[in-house]
Amino acid sequence: MRRGREYSPAAALLAGLGIALCLAMPARAQGFNEQIGGMISDEAADSAIRYALDNIHIALCEDDRNCTATTEAERADPPIETVDARAAMVFGVKSALASWCGLDFKRSFLPLMAFARHGKKFTNRQAALMAMIHGGFMQRQLQSYQANGGACPDTLKVQLDSQLPKLPPQ
């Protein structure tokens, strides 16, 4: 795994603004996930993995118990790959945009977790790492949107609402 530098709040804001622009592009343009994933460097994704590994002990794993602390073996060979962290970050961006626009962020988060658990067949620990990366990046992105001072544009909200899956009634 490559080691890189931390991503700055300014980089998060720039990425967020770029993401909002990408969402406004026509459907014939490259897919959202690919566009945003291309904006997230391997270094940023690897940094997110390291952060999640440093804090995995606060996440829930088996039987509602906290995950065990990271081992040196996991630090040397993380249980998720850079591409997985990047996916969690892309979904974190979508969740932040949804939240900023007054939509339920779970419309982005739950599909990520379903893909991790069922598509990738991740263990609870691997899924917890994905959730931590998603949550951390979502929080940073949402803060950058809110700090910008503007409200979510109506066109963005409509587009997000049409693109994100609907949650079943509870």
Side-chain angles (χ1 to χ4, degrees):
M1 176 175 79
R2 283 187 261 170
R3 301 289 182 215
R5 60 184 179 271
E6 299 288 323
Y7 45 90
S8 69
L13 177 60
L14 288 174
L17 294 175
I19 289 158
L21 290 173
C22 289
L23 280 172
M25 297 177 79
R28 69 182 181 276
Q30 184 180 15
F32 176 84
N33 293 351
E34 290 80 14
Q35 288 176 329
I36 303 316
M39 295 176 164
I40 300 170
S41 70
D42 285 355
E43 291 79 15
D46 289 342
S47 176
I49 293 171
R50 287 191 303 276
Y51 174 81
L53 285 170
D54 287 345
N55 293 285
I56 190 69
H57 62 281
I58 63 173
L60 295 178
C61 276
E62 305 292 332
D63 301 322
D64 289 329
R65 283 187 262 173
N66 287 53
C67 299
T68 58
T70 301
T71 65
E72 288 306 314
E74 282 180 313
R75 287 190 197 290
D77 185 20
I80 64 170
E81 297 183 20
T82 302
V83 68
D84 301 319
R86 184 178 291 110
M89 294 165 84
V90 168
F91 276 83
V93 168
K94 290 193 278 189
S95 293
L97 286 169
S99 186
W100 181 49
C101 291
L103 302 171
D104 191 340
F105 80 91
K106 292 178 193 159
R107 290 175 60 187
S108 172
F109 176 69
L110 293 177
L112 170 68
M113 291 292 92
F115 176 71
R117 290 185 182 279
H118 304 293
K120 299 280 286 189
K121 306 286 189 224
F122 277 177
T123 64
N124 287 347
R125 186 175 183 84
Q126 289 170 308
L129 288 168
M130 293 288 285
M132 291 184 77
I133 292 168
H134 169 276
F137 204 65
M138 176 189 163
Q139 181 181 17
R140 282 192 173 130
Q141 289 298 127
L142 183 56
Q143 287 172 347
S144 72
Y145 303 146
Q146 293 168 337
N148 197 25
C152 170
D154 289 339
T155 54
L156 177 59
K157 181 176 182 174
V158 168
Q159 188 169 10
L160 277 169
D161 191 38
S162 71
Q163 291 177 359
L164 292 173
K166 306 293 186 227
L167 295 176
Q170 295 183 2

